[in-house]
Amino acid sequence: QVQLVESGGGLVQAGGSLRLSCAASGSSGNFRFMDWYRQASGKQRELVAAITTGGTINYADSVKDRFTISRDNAKNTVYLQMNSLKPEDTAIYYCNHRTVWGGDYWGKGTLVTVSS
């Protein structure tokens, strides 16, 4: 019964910024492993960034130095600050929770469109 709800997507010009949020609920756990994925039209879904409750962070090479993932453990909310956006960042961005036992929960996604 885990629920993940993304928000913050929209239309932005190249070079602009957006901040995505993912609110997690419905679990008695602490959502240790939280991720942002994205999927562009006609392309495979790819991992963008990952964060744990302990603050361990990983980024895809394509977004390093531009995106910042963070979280508020008390609110079970994860954020993705996206700066210096490029048209190739255009995609649906999905929040993901990886469980300790190997399962996944997904949000419905939020669309980010970057115009040139």
Side-chain angles (χ1 to χ4, degrees):
Q1 66 193 57
V2 169
Q3 296 275 69
L4 305 175
V5 180
E6 304 97 334
S7 62
L11 174 64
V12 65
Q13 288 187 314
S17 299
L18 285 173
R19 185 185 187 230
L20 307 183
S21 298
C22 172
S25 63
S27 174
S28 61
N30 62 0
F31 297 95
R32 183 186 300 173
F33 304 103
M34 298 295 296
D35 312 309
W36 284 101
Y37 282 75
R38 68 185 181 187
Q39 186 167 25
S41 180
K43 297 184 178 181
Q44 298 181 12
R45 187 173 298 187
E46 64 176 349
L47 177 67
V48 176
I51 189 169
T52 70
T53 51
T56 301
I57 293 172
N58 289 291
Y59 294 102
D61 288 341
S62 60
V63 306
K64 286 181 179 178
D65 303 318
R66 297 190 298 121
F67 291 9
T68 302
I69 190 170
S70 61
R71 64 185 295 162
D72 184 332
N73 291 331
K75 297 194 294 186
N76 286 331
T77 300
V78 63
Y79 307 95
L80 186 67
Q81 178 66 46
M82 305 184 294
N83 298 324
S84 302
L85 283 163
K86 305 174 181 179
E88 51 263 45
D89 295 319
T90 296
I92 299 175
Y93 284 71
Y94 296 93
C95 183
N96 166 256
H97 169 50
R98 291 174 289 123
T99 68
V100 173
W101 49 269
D104 291 291
Y105 293 95
W106 296 92
K108 294 182 179 180
T110 184
L111 177 63
V112 172
T113 303
V114 184
S115 63
S116 61

